[in-house]
Amino acid sequence: MGTFDAPWCARHGLEMDDAFYEDVEGWSGPGRLLRVRGSVEAGVPVVITHGTFSDASTCVPIAHFFGQLRPTYVIEWRARDIGWGHVQRFDYTDLAMDELCTAFAHVQALHGGSVHFVAHSGGGLAVLLALALKPDVAQMLRSMTIIAAQATWRNPDWRSRVSVAGMECLGRRIGYWPKRFLPIGPCSEAGTLKSNWVSWTKAGCIFDRDRRDVLAMVRGQKVPSLVLAGAADHDIAPPHACQPIAAALGAQFEVCGTATGHGEDFTHPRIFKSRAAAQTVFPMIADWIAAQ
């Protein structure tokens, strides 16, 4: 499959075909910096990243969409093969400083200017740390779109709290949260990264390693920002929980559902990876980016 074929990928669970991406020359990691093969050469590039329990295959639908419009890159985090015997310990600050900041600088050098950034879930949290800890990152970004990300709300359902507490205990013991117990993505996830998120939700505040309030640190930044939430994302990033990030960034905020003209009320995964999102969410992001 030399180019992305949506029906083919849909029938096969939207698995990433190696022919869809190519590794970017000169990138030394951590993680991988990938370019969509055959993506448009001209224009301001877009850099996309996924969230926890995910990898570059999760980005295939949106990367395919943007690859037809502008140069398109995907950041795949380190440790996507994490598991027994090969544990890596890292947190959101590591992701922000290493994967994101380094990738922004690399793509900026390739194209001679700033980039558009699109992130789902945990990828959106990482860019907040990047902006807070390295202010010159704002000069690298033409715009940023954060989709279904939050870390200041804790699900009040007792079953969710028991599940999260159990997974955190296991993650601290073995070093990762096994995907077989949380089948929400193709990868297991680093326990240190998930403990970062759990501590934020318990405190109701995203804080850095020095316990400084990250949303307070990014308040007033000048990067044009769009924050999206799924109308049916009830358990991970409900709309009301995404609003503090939008408010801190001074972002345009939209809840994606039938009430706002979309074909469905989007859940956490489907707002980023579905045919329905490709019909309304991706074009909306593209139009907003084009206006920046």
Side-chain angles (χ1 to χ4, degrees), residues 43-48 66-67 70-74 107 115-118 289:
V44 178
V46 62
V47 178
I48 301 167
F66 275 101
R70 58 183 67 247
T72 301
Y73 297 83
V74 167
V107 176
V115 306
H116 296 291
F117 181 59
V118 178
I289 284 176

Side-chain angles (χ1 to χ4, degrees), residues 150-164:
Q150 74 85 23
T152 55
W153 173 80
R154 190 181 179 200
N155 193 325
D157 182 76
W158 68 269
R159 288 161 296 192
S160 173
R161 293 195 176 192
V162 168
S163 175
V164 169

Side-chain angles (χ1 to χ4, degrees), residues 70-157:
R70 58 183 67 247
T72 301
Y73 297 83
V74 167
I75 303 168
E76 183 178 73
W77 306 352
R78 73 189 81 180
R80 295 306 85 197
D81 60 348
I82 196 169
W84 189 257
H86 47 103
V87 170
Q88 293 188 45
R89 302 184 183 279
F90 60 98
D91 63 8
Y92 275 103
T93 298
D94 294 319
L95 283 180
M97 295 295 97
D98 299 335
E99 277 88 334
L100 266 61
C101 290
T102 309
F104 295 157
H106 196 88
V107 176
Q108 184 180 42
L110 290 175
H111 290 270
S114 56
V115 306
H116 296 291
F117 181 59
V118 178
H120 182 235
S121 195
L125 302 178
V127 78
L128 296 176
L129 267 296
L131 285 167
L133 299 176
K134 193 173 182 181
D136 63 343
V137 167
Q139 305 304 314
M140 302 180 186
L141 300 178
R142 178 75 65 90
S143 77
M144 60 182 177
T145 301
I146 296 176
I147 304 169
Q150 74 85 23
T152 55
W153 173 80
R154 190 181 179 200
N155 193 325
D157 182 76

